[in-house]
mmCIF file of all heavy atoms in Angstrom:
data_model
loop_
_atom_site.group_PDB
_atom_site.id
_atom_site.type_symbol
_atom_site.label_atom_id
_atom_site.label_comp_id
_atom_site.label_asym_id
_atom_site.label_seq_id
_atom_site.Cartn_x
_atom_site.Cartn_y
_atom_site.Cartn_z
ATOM 1 N N GLN A 28 16.835 -0.541 4.736
ATOM 2 C CA GLN A 28 15.740 -0.604 5.646
ATOM 3 C C GLN A 28 16.062 -0.894 7.074
ATOM 4 O O GLN A 28 15.407 -0.551 7.993
ATOM 5 C CB GLN A 28 14.756 -1.738 5.079
ATOM 6 C CG GLN A 28 13.898 -1.389 4.006
ATOM 7 C CD GLN A 28 13.067 -0.154 4.207
ATOM 8 O OE1 GLN A 28 12.573 0.123 5.327
ATOM 9 N NE2 GLN A 28 12.922 0.662 3.210
ATOM 10 N N ASP A 29 17.294 -1.559 7.325
ATOM 11 C CA ASP A 29 17.659 -1.751 8.724
ATOM 12 C C ASP A 29 17.886 -0.442 9.422
ATOM 13 O O ASP A 29 17.763 -0.380 10.636
ATOM 14 C CB ASP A 29 18.917 -2.586 8.787
ATOM 15 C CG ASP A 29 20.088 -2.092 7.863
ATOM 16 O OD1 ASP A 29 19.801 -1.385 6.855
ATOM 17 O OD2 ASP A 29 21.215 -2.303 8.233
ATOM 18 N N ILE A 30 18.197 0.618 8.711
ATOM 19 C CA ILE A 30 18.296 1.944 9.277
ATOM 20 C C ILE A 30 17.069 2.735 9.228
ATOM 21 O O ILE A 30 16.541 3.405 10.153
ATOM 22 C CB ILE A 30 19.433 2.669 8.657
ATOM 23 C CG1 ILE A 30 20.802 1.929 8.846
ATOM 24 C CG2 ILE A 30 19.638 4.092 9.196
ATOM 25 C CD1 ILE A 30 21.937 2.540 8.101
ATOM 26 N N ALA A 31 16.450 2.788 7.985
ATOM 27 C CA ALA A 31 15.267 3.539 7.680
ATOM 28 C C ALA A 31 14.058 3.215 8.577
ATOM 29 O O ALA A 31 13.399 3.974 9.276
ATOM 30 C CB ALA A 31 14.906 3.557 6.232
ATOM 31 N N ALA A 32 13.699 1.852 8.627
ATOM 32 C CA ALA A 32 12.546 1.464 9.457
ATOM 33 C C ALA A 32 12.807 1.540 10.903
ATOM 34 O O ALA A 32 11.874 1.985 11.672
ATOM 35 C CB ALA A 32 12.336 -0.029 9.061
ATOM 36 N N ALA A 33 14.060 1.457 11.344
ATOM 37 C CA ALA A 33 14.327 1.570 12.790
ATOM 38 C C ALA A 33 14.238 3.082 13.133
ATOM 39 O O ALA A 33 13.785 3.356 14.242
ATOM 40 C CB ALA A 33 15.750 1.119 12.989
ATOM 41 N N ARG A 34 14.568 4.023 12.300
ATOM 42 C CA ARG A 34 14.458 5.360 12.481
ATOM 43 C C ARG A 34 12.975 5.823 12.647
ATOM 44 O O ARG A 34 12.659 6.644 13.532
ATOM 45 C CB ARG A 34 15.169 6.140 11.377
ATOM 46 C CG ARG A 34 16.615 6.308 11.519
ATOM 47 C CD ARG A 34 17.283 6.904 10.283
ATOM 48 N NE ARG A 34 16.888 8.228 10.142
ATOM 49 C CZ ARG A 34 17.564 9.239 10.679
ATOM 50 N NH1 ARG A 34 18.796 9.055 11.221
ATOM 51 N NH2 ARG A 34 17.237 10.516 10.415
ATOM 52 N N VAL A 35 12.125 5.310 11.789
ATOM 53 C CA VAL A 35 10.712 5.569 11.913
ATOM 54 C C VAL A 35 10.126 5.015 13.190
ATOM 55 O O VAL A 35 9.392 5.683 13.869
ATOM 56 C CB VAL A 35 9.924 4.923 10.647
ATOM 57 C CG1 VAL A 35 8.449 5.089 10.872
ATOM 58 C CG2 VAL A 35 10.417 5.491 9.349
ATOM 59 N N ALA A 36 10.523 3.861 13.594
ATOM 60 C CA ALA A 36 10.083 3.287 14.881
ATOM 61 C C ALA A 36 10.560 4.141 16.093
ATOM 62 O O ALA A 36 9.745 4.411 16.985
ATOM 63 C CB ALA A 36 10.633 1.857 14.997
ATOM 64 N N THR A 37 11.725 4.534 15.992
ATOM 65 C CA THR A 37 12.358 5.440 17.079
ATOM 66 C C THR A 37 11.524 6.747 17.161
ATOM 67 O O THR A 37 11.177 7.238 18.200
ATOM 68 C CB THR A 37 13.822 5.772 16.768
ATOM 69 O OG1 THR A 37 14.500 4.510 16.786
ATOM 70 C CG2 THR A 37 14.366 6.676 17.900
ATOM 71 N N TRP A 38 11.131 7.309 15.986
ATOM 72 C CA TRP A 38 10.379 8.588 15.976
ATOM 73 C C TRP A 38 9.033 8.284 16.657
ATOM 74 O O TRP A 38 8.537 9.099 17.423
ATOM 75 C CB TRP A 38 10.195 9.016 14.528
ATOM 76 C CG TRP A 38 9.338 10.327 14.333
ATOM 77 C CD1 TRP A 38 7.951 10.176 14.102
ATOM 78 C CD2 TRP A 38 9.750 11.574 14.355
ATOM 79 N NE1 TRP A 38 7.465 11.506 13.959
ATOM 80 C CE2 TRP A 38 8.557 12.425 14.098
ATOM 81 C CE3 TRP A 38 10.972 12.262 14.465
ATOM 82 C CZ2 TRP A 38 8.586 13.760 14.091
ATOM 83 C CZ3 TRP A 38 10.983 13.612 14.384
ATOM 84 C CH2 TRP A 38 9.850 14.417 14.172
ATOM 85 N N ASP A 39 8.360 7.163 16.165
ATOM 86 C CA ASP A 39 7.010 6.899 16.744
ATOM 87 C C ASP A 39 7.003 6.677 18.255
ATOM 88 O O ASP A 39 6.136 7.166 18.892
ATOM 89 C CB ASP A 39 6.491 5.648 16.016
ATOM 90 C CG ASP A 39 6.138 5.887 14.495
ATOM 91 O OD1 ASP A 39 6.101 6.967 14.145
ATOM 92 O OD2 ASP A 39 6.027 4.850 13.891
ATOM 93 N N VAL A 40 7.970 6.016 18.720
ATOM 94 C CA VAL A 40 8.034 5.684 20.152
ATOM 95 C C VAL A 40 8.560 6.729 21.069
ATOM 96 O O VAL A 40 7.952 7.227 21.971
ATOM 97 C CB VAL A 40 8.761 4.327 20.463
ATOM 98 C CG1 VAL A 40 8.886 4.068 21.989
ATOM 99 C CG2 VAL A 40 8.127 3.152 19.727
ATOM 100 N N LYS A 41 9.729 7.398 20.681
ATOM 101 C CA LYS A 41 10.384 8.297 21.491
ATOM 102 C C LYS A 41 9.829 9.722 21.305
ATOM 103 O O LYS A 41 9.759 10.485 22.282
ATOM 104 C CB LYS A 41 11.823 8.242 21.286
ATOM 105 C CG LYS A 41 12.455 6.848 21.548
ATOM 106 C CD LYS A 41 13.908 6.990 21.841
ATOM 107 C CE LYS A 41 14.286 7.512 23.194
ATOM 108 N NZ LYS A 41 15.707 7.487 23.537
ATOM 109 N N TYR A 42 9.563 10.183 20.090
ATOM 110 C CA TYR A 42 9.143 11.529 19.825
ATOM 111 C C TYR A 42 7.692 11.654 19.921
ATOM 112 O O TYR A 42 7.154 12.570 20.670
ATOM 113 C CB TYR A 42 9.612 12.020 18.372
ATOM 114 C CG TYR A 42 9.245 13.353 18.123
ATOM 115 C CD1 TYR A 42 9.933 14.510 18.634
ATOM 116 C CD2 TYR A 42 8.120 13.604 17.369
ATOM 117 C CE1 TYR A 42 9.539 15.808 18.299
ATOM 118 C CE2 TYR A 42 7.754 14.984 17.099
ATOM 119 C CZ TYR A 42 8.560 15.996 17.563
ATOM 120 O OH TYR A 42 8.138 17.344 17.278
ATOM 121 N N LEU A 43 6.826 10.742 19.245
ATOM 122 C CA LEU A 43 5.486 10.866 19.381
ATOM 123 C C LEU A 43 4.873 10.224 20.687
ATOM 124 O O LEU A 43 3.715 10.485 21.093
ATOM 125 C CB LEU A 43 4.810 10.172 18.147
ATOM 126 C CG LEU A 43 5.179 10.733 16.829
ATOM 127 C CD1 LEU A 43 4.443 9.889 15.706
ATOM 128 C CD2 LEU A 43 4.805 12.178 16.662
ATOM 129 N N GLY A 44 5.706 9.484 21.356
ATOM 130 C CA GLY A 44 5.285 8.885 22.610
ATOM 131 C C GLY A 44 4.263 7.780 22.483
ATOM 132 O O GLY A 44 3.530 7.526 23.386
ATOM 133 N N LYS A 45 4.342 7.024 21.314
ATOM 134 C CA LYS A 45 3.247 5.989 21.195
ATOM 135 C C LYS A 45 3.832 4.649 21.646
ATOM 136 O O LYS A 45 4.916 4.256 21.293
ATOM 137 C CB LYS A 45 2.886 5.830 19.697
ATOM 138 C CG LYS A 45 2.400 7.070 19.033
ATOM 139 C CD LYS A 45 1.225 7.585 19.716
ATOM 140 C CE LYS A 45 0.560 8.835 18.996
ATOM 141 N NZ LYS A 45 -0.642 9.357 19.772
ATOM 142 N N LYS A 46 3.155 3.967 22.482
ATOM 143 C CA LYS A 46 3.591 2.655 23.024
ATOM 144 C C LYS A 46 2.892 1.536 22.508
ATOM 145 O O LYS A 46 3.507 0.433 22.371
ATOM 146 C CB LYS A 46 3.465 2.767 24.609
ATOM 147 C CG LYS A 46 4.263 3.923 25.235
ATOM 148 C CD LYS A 46 5.758 3.653 25.027
ATOM 149 C CE LYS A 46 6.674 4.709 25.866
ATOM 150 N NZ LYS A 46 7.997 4.500 25.647
ATOM 151 N N ASN A 47 1.599 1.669 22.208
ATOM 152 C CA ASN A 47 0.895 0.621 21.526
ATOM 153 C C ASN A 47 0.581 0.846 20.095
ATOM 154 O O ASN A 47 -0.150 1.914 19.735
ATOM 155 C CB ASN A 47 -0.485 0.388 22.310
ATOM 156 C CG ASN A 47 -0.345 0.037 23.735
ATOM 157 O OD1 ASN A 47 0.537 -0.864 24.020
ATOM 158 N ND2 ASN A 47 -0.993 0.649 24.596
ATOM 159 N N ILE A 48 1.168 0.109 19.260
ATOM 160 C CA ILE A 48 1.173 0.406 17.777
ATOM 161 C C ILE A 48 0.601 -0.738 16.988
ATOM 162 O O ILE A 48 0.857 -1.944 17.243
ATOM 163 C CB ILE A 48 2.670 0.724 17.290
ATOM 164 C CG1 ILE A 48 3.160 1.951 18.059
ATOM 165 C CG2 ILE A 48 2.654 0.848 15.831
ATOM 166 C CD1 ILE A 48 4.653 2.273 17.870
ATOM 167 N N ALA A 49 -0.189 -0.422 16.005
ATOM 168 C CA ALA A 49 -0.756 -1.409 14.969
ATOM 169 C C ALA A 49 0.117 -1.115 13.832
ATOM 170 O O ALA A 49 0.130 -0.017 13.290
ATOM 171 C CB ALA A 49 -2.186 -1.287 14.775
ATOM 172 N N LEU A 50 0.711 -2.182 13.143
ATOM 173 C CA LEU A 50 1.554 -2.096 11.975
ATOM 174 C C LEU A 50 0.799 -2.734 10.759
ATOM 175 O O LEU A 50 0.442 -3.896 10.814
ATOM 176 C CB LEU A 50 2.865 -2.759 12.251
ATOM 177 C CG LEU A 50 3.896 -2.743 11.049
ATOM 178 C CD1 LEU A 50 4.214 -1.340 10.680
ATOM 179 C CD2 LEU A 50 5.112 -3.565 11.457
ATOM 180 N N LEU A 51 0.713 -1.930 9.754
ATOM 181 C CA LEU A 51 0.118 -2.468 8.493
ATOM 182 C C LEU A 51 1.196 -2.388 7.417
ATOM 183 O O LEU A 51 1.770 -1.314 7.058
ATOM 184 C CB LEU A 51 -1.138 -1.588 8.087
ATOM 185 C CG LEU A 51 -1.958 -1.938 6.812
ATOM 186 C CD1 LEU A 51 -2.493 -3.314 6.961
ATOM 187 C CD2 LEU A 51 -3.000 -0.882 6.581
ATOM 188 N N TYR A 52 1.497 -3.462 6.707
ATOM 189 C CA TYR A 52 2.620 -3.509 5.803
ATOM 190 C C TYR A 52 2.297 -4.242 4.543
ATOM 191 O O TYR A 52 1.353 -5.138 4.545
ATOM 192 C CB TYR A 52 3.874 -4.045 6.393
ATOM 193 C CG TYR A 52 3.754 -5.525 6.714
ATOM 194 C CD1 TYR A 52 4.356 -6.453 5.840
ATOM 195 C CD2 TYR A 52 3.162 -5.946 7.947
ATOM 196 C CE1 TYR A 52 4.371 -7.820 6.163
ATOM 197 C CE2 TYR A 52 3.175 -7.364 8.169
ATOM 198 C CZ TYR A 52 3.642 -8.268 7.316
ATOM 199 O OH TYR A 52 3.604 -9.547 7.591
ATOM 200 N N SER A 53 2.924 -3.899 3.431
ATOM 201 C CA SER A 53 2.673 -4.639 2.156
ATOM 202 C C SER A 53 3.398 -6.017 2.224
ATOM 203 O O SER A 53 4.495 -6.175 2.604
ATOM 204 C CB SER A 53 3.198 -3.800 0.937
ATOM 205 O OG SER A 53 4.589 -3.553 1.121
ATOM 206 N N GLU A 54 2.596 -7.027 1.543
ATOM 207 C CA GLU A 54 3.106 -8.367 1.473
ATOM 208 C C GLU A 54 4.092 -8.527 0.364
ATOM 209 O O GLU A 54 3.679 -9.131 -0.648
ATOM 210 C CB GLU A 54 1.912 -9.300 1.446
ATOM 211 C CG GLU A 54 2.398 -10.796 1.611
ATOM 212 C CD GLU A 54 3.133 -11.182 2.886
ATOM 213 O OE1 GLU A 54 2.452 -11.001 3.934
ATOM 214 O OE2 GLU A 54 4.257 -11.390 2.814
ATOM 215 N N ASP A 55 5.250 -7.999 0.448
ATOM 216 C CA ASP A 55 6.361 -8.141 -0.547
ATOM 217 C C ASP A 55 7.592 -7.991 0.166
ATOM 218 O O ASP A 55 7.669 -7.882 1.387
ATOM 219 C CB ASP A 55 6.186 -7.196 -1.690
ATOM 220 C CG ASP A 55 6.185 -5.770 -1.191
ATOM 221 O OD1 ASP A 55 6.644 -5.379 -0.086
ATOM 222 O OD2 ASP A 55 5.593 -4.908 -1.900
ATOM 223 N N GLU A 56 8.768 -8.249 -0.572
ATOM 224 C CA GLU A 56 10.038 -8.251 0.050
ATOM 225 C C GLU A 56 10.314 -6.868 0.794
ATOM 226 O O GLU A 56 10.896 -6.920 1.873
ATOM 227 C CB GLU A 56 11.165 -8.532 -0.990
ATOM 228 C CG GLU A 56 12.504 -8.701 -0.260
ATOM 229 C CD GLU A 56 13.576 -9.195 -1.322
ATOM 230 O OE1 GLU A 56 13.327 -9.109 -2.580
ATOM 231 O OE2 GLU A 56 14.600 -9.599 -0.908
ATOM 232 N N TRP A 57 9.988 -5.745 0.093
ATOM 233 C CA TRP A 57 10.232 -4.540 0.742
ATOM 234 C C TRP A 57 9.425 -4.359 1.997
ATOM 235 O O TRP A 57 9.941 -3.888 2.993
ATOM 236 C CB TRP A 57 9.806 -3.379 -0.254
ATOM 237 C CG TRP A 57 10.000 -1.960 0.314
ATOM 238 C CD1 TRP A 57 11.155 -1.216 0.342
ATOM 239 C CD2 TRP A 57 9.019 -1.143 0.860
ATOM 240 N NE1 TRP A 57 10.937 -0.020 1.015
ATOM 241 C CE2 TRP A 57 9.589 0.151 1.288
ATOM 242 C CE3 TRP A 57 7.634 -1.361 1.174
ATOM 243 C CZ2 TRP A 57 8.875 1.096 1.886
ATOM 244 C CZ3 TRP A 57 6.920 -0.374 1.652
ATOM 245 C CH2 TRP A 57 7.552 0.860 2.130
ATOM 246 N N GLY A 58 8.070 -4.616 1.951
ATOM 247 C CA GLY A 58 7.264 -4.531 3.121
ATOM 248 C C GLY A 58 7.691 -5.428 4.264
ATOM 249 O O GLY A 58 7.695 -5.070 5.395
ATOM 250 N N ASN A 59 8.106 -6.696 3.907
ATOM 251 C CA ASN A 59 8.540 -7.562 4.982
ATOM 252 C C ASN A 59 9.852 -7.096 5.702
ATOM 253 O O ASN A 59 10.028 -7.219 6.916
ATOM 254 C CB ASN A 59 8.785 -9.020 4.324
ATOM 255 C CG ASN A 59 7.521 -9.807 4.184
ATOM 256 O OD1 ASN A 59 6.831 -10.136 5.142
ATOM 257 N ND2 ASN A 59 7.163 -10.050 2.946
ATOM 258 N N GLN A 60 10.725 -6.489 4.950
ATOM 259 C CA GLN A 60 11.882 -5.886 5.563
ATOM 260 C C GLN A 60 11.529 -4.728 6.457
ATOM 261 O O GLN A 60 12.063 -4.620 7.567
ATOM 262 C CB GLN A 60 12.950 -5.478 4.511
ATOM 263 C CG GLN A 60 13.784 -6.601 3.930
ATOM 264 C CD GLN A 60 15.240 -6.072 3.715
ATOM 265 O OE1 GLN A 60 15.515 -4.918 3.493
ATOM 266 N NE2 GLN A 60 16.148 -6.988 3.729
ATOM 267 N N CYS A 61 10.639 -3.854 5.997
ATOM 268 C CA CYS A 61 10.274 -2.788 6.776
ATOM 269 C C CYS A 61 9.605 -3.243 8.112
ATOM 270 O O CYS A 61 9.920 -2.734 9.166
ATOM 271 C CB CYS A 61 9.082 -1.920 6.125
ATOM 272 S SG CYS A 61 9.727 -1.023 4.697
ATOM 273 N N MET A 62 8.692 -4.289 8.014
ATOM 274 C CA MET A 62 8.062 -4.873 9.202
ATOM 275 C C MET A 62 9.098 -5.362 10.134
ATOM 276 O O MET A 62 9.003 -5.175 11.403
ATOM 277 C CB MET A 62 7.059 -5.871 8.745
ATOM 278 C CG MET A 62 6.273 -6.520 9.922
ATOM 279 S SD MET A 62 7.193 -8.022 10.608
ATOM 280 C CE MET A 62 7.152 -9.096 9.202
ATOM 281 N N THR A 63 10.077 -6.188 9.621
ATOM 282 C CA THR A 63 11.054 -6.855 10.475
ATOM 283 C C THR A 63 11.779 -5.885 11.394
ATOM 284 O O THR A 63 11.987 -5.986 12.624
ATOM 285 C CB THR A 63 11.914 -7.744 9.675
ATOM 286 O OG1 THR A 63 11.204 -8.693 9.075
ATOM 287 C CG2 THR A 63 13.072 -8.395 10.567
ATOM 288 N N TYR A 64 12.381 -4.864 10.677
ATOM 289 C CA TYR A 64 13.237 -3.924 11.439
ATOM 290 C C TYR A 64 12.479 -2.871 12.243
ATOM 291 O O TYR A 64 12.935 -2.490 13.247
ATOM 292 C CB TYR A 64 14.096 -3.201 10.385
ATOM 293 C CG TYR A 64 15.146 -4.067 9.761
ATOM 294 C CD1 TYR A 64 15.058 -4.393 8.455
ATOM 295 C CD2 TYR A 64 16.208 -4.603 10.510
ATOM 296 C CE1 TYR A 64 15.984 -5.293 7.807
ATOM 297 C CE2 TYR A 64 17.137 -5.442 9.975
ATOM 298 C CZ TYR A 64 17.045 -5.830 8.646
ATOM 299 O OH TYR A 64 17.904 -6.668 8.036
ATOM 300 N N TYR A 65 11.237 -2.545 11.791
ATOM 301 C CA TYR A 65 10.364 -1.640 12.561
ATOM 302 C C TYR A 65 9.968 -2.351 13.877
ATOM 303 O O TYR A 65 10.139 -1.819 14.987
ATOM 304 C CB TYR A 65 9.160 -1.191 11.722
ATOM 305 C CG TYR A 65 8.185 -0.267 12.435
ATOM 306 C CD1 TYR A 65 8.379 1.140 12.287
ATOM 307 C CD2 TYR A 65 7.250 -0.744 13.268
ATOM 308 C CE1 TYR A 65 7.505 1.978 12.937
ATOM 309 C CE2 TYR A 65 6.420 0.105 14.010
ATOM 310 C CZ TYR A 65 6.567 1.504 13.741
ATOM 311 O OH TYR A 65 5.693 2.400 14.425
ATOM 312 N N LYS A 66 9.544 -3.537 13.689
ATOM 313 C CA LYS A 66 9.037 -4.422 14.865
ATOM 314 C C LYS A 66 10.157 -4.547 15.877
ATOM 315 O O LYS A 66 10.020 -4.339 17.068
ATOM 316 C CB LYS A 66 8.530 -5.728 14.470
ATOM 317 C CG LYS A 66 8.018 -6.663 15.519
ATOM 318 C CD LYS A 66 7.406 -7.895 14.900
ATOM 319 C CE LYS A 66 6.874 -8.812 15.866
ATOM 320 N NZ LYS A 66 7.945 -9.390 16.772
ATOM 321 N N ALA A 67 11.394 -4.889 15.438
ATOM 322 C CA ALA A 67 12.515 -5.130 16.368
ATOM 323 C C ALA A 67 12.838 -3.787 17.173
ATOM 324 O O ALA A 67 13.114 -3.964 18.303
ATOM 325 C CB ALA A 67 13.701 -5.613 15.578
ATOM 326 N N GLN A 68 12.778 -2.645 16.434
ATOM 327 C CA GLN A 68 13.096 -1.462 17.091
ATOM 328 C C GLN A 68 12.054 -0.947 18.115
ATOM 329 O O GLN A 68 12.430 -0.442 19.212
ATOM 330 C CB GLN A 68 13.404 -0.357 16.099
ATOM 331 C CG GLN A 68 13.833 1.055 16.697
ATOM 332 C CD GLN A 68 15.229 1.010 17.251
ATOM 333 O OE1 GLN A 68 15.820 -0.112 17.349
ATOM 334 N NE2 GLN A 68 15.704 2.076 17.749
ATOM 335 N N VAL A 69 10.810 -1.171 17.736
ATOM 336 C CA VAL A 69 9.727 -0.870 18.696
ATOM 337 C C VAL A 69 9.789 -1.665 19.991
ATOM 338 O O VAL A 69 9.681 -1.014 21.083
ATOM 339 C CB VAL A 69 8.327 -1.148 18.084
ATOM 340 C CG1 VAL A 69 7.197 -1.088 19.138
ATOM 341 C CG2 VAL A 69 8.028 -0.021 16.951
ATOM 342 N N GLU A 70 10.058 -2.981 19.914
ATOM 343 C CA GLU A 70 10.259 -3.795 21.070
ATOM 344 C C GLU A 70 11.530 -3.504 21.860
ATOM 345 O O GLU A 70 11.472 -3.520 23.077
ATOM 346 C CB GLU A 70 10.177 -5.217 20.491
ATOM 347 C CG GLU A 70 8.837 -5.692 19.982
ATOM 348 C CD GLU A 70 8.925 -7.115 19.420
ATOM 349 O OE1 GLU A 70 10.007 -7.652 19.187
ATOM 350 O OE2 GLU A 70 7.814 -7.587 19.117
ATOM 351 N N ARG A 71 12.585 -3.097 21.160
ATOM 352 C CA ARG A 71 13.748 -2.697 21.809
ATOM 353 C C ARG A 71 13.637 -1.408 22.677
ATOM 354 O O ARG A 71 14.169 -1.264 23.703
ATOM 355 C CB ARG A 71 14.929 -2.408 20.751
ATOM 356 C CG ARG A 71 16.271 -2.231 21.304
ATOM 357 C CD ARG A 71 17.269 -2.077 20.191
ATOM 358 N NE ARG A 71 17.411 -3.226 19.379
ATOM 359 C CZ ARG A 71 17.092 -3.302 18.036
ATOM 360 N NH1 ARG A 71 16.592 -2.247 17.451
ATOM 361 N NH2 ARG A 71 17.262 -4.466 17.404
ATOM 362 N N LEU A 72 12.662 -0.578 22.230
ATOM 363 C CA LEU A 72 12.405 0.695 22.906
ATOM 364 C C LEU A 72 11.323 0.597 23.958
ATOM 365 O O LEU A 72 10.958 1.595 24.582
ATOM 366 C CB LEU A 72 12.087 1.844 21.913
ATOM 367 C CG LEU A 72 13.256 2.186 20.933
ATOM 368 C CD1 LEU A 72 12.705 3.190 19.918
ATOM 369 C CD2 LEU A 72 14.465 2.734 21.678
ATOM 370 N N GLY A 73 10.817 -0.642 24.147
ATOM 371 C CA GLY A 73 9.823 -0.864 25.173
ATOM 372 C C GLY A 73 8.345 -0.659 24.722
ATOM 373 O O GLY A 73 7.431 -0.637 25.447
ATOM 374 N N GLY A 74 8.183 -0.529 23.331
ATOM 375 C CA GLY A 74 6.832 -0.357 22.808
ATOM 376 C C GLY A 74 6.169 -1.812 22.536
ATOM 377 O O GLY A 74 6.863 -2.825 22.740
#
């Protein structure tokens, strides 16, 4: 997930050009990992 979720975030911000994003995730270990790494990458890219 540290790679997969970050790749999705990069696609959303850099390819789709989305800067303001609402994130909906499942409340379990898998969902929490997705959220953590996705959120970090979005913020790293200026989203």
Side-chain angles (χ1 to χ4, degrees):
Q28 285 303 326
D29 51 332
I30 298 173
R34 284 171 63 92
V35 174
T37 301
W38 176 271
D39 292 344
V40 175
K41 300 200 74 173
Y42 181 79
L43 298 180
K45 304 300 181 182
K46 297 298 183 181
N47 297 314
I48 299 172
L50 177 61
L51 181 62
Y52 69 97
S53 58
E54 187 57 67
D55 53 26
E56 188 172 14
W57 179 83
N59 278 295
Q60 277 217 334
C61 289
M62 180 272 293
T63 298
Y64 291 109
Y65 183 93
K66 180 176 181 291
Q68 183 68 355
V69 166
E70 293 174 347
R71 189 178 297 115
L72 295 174

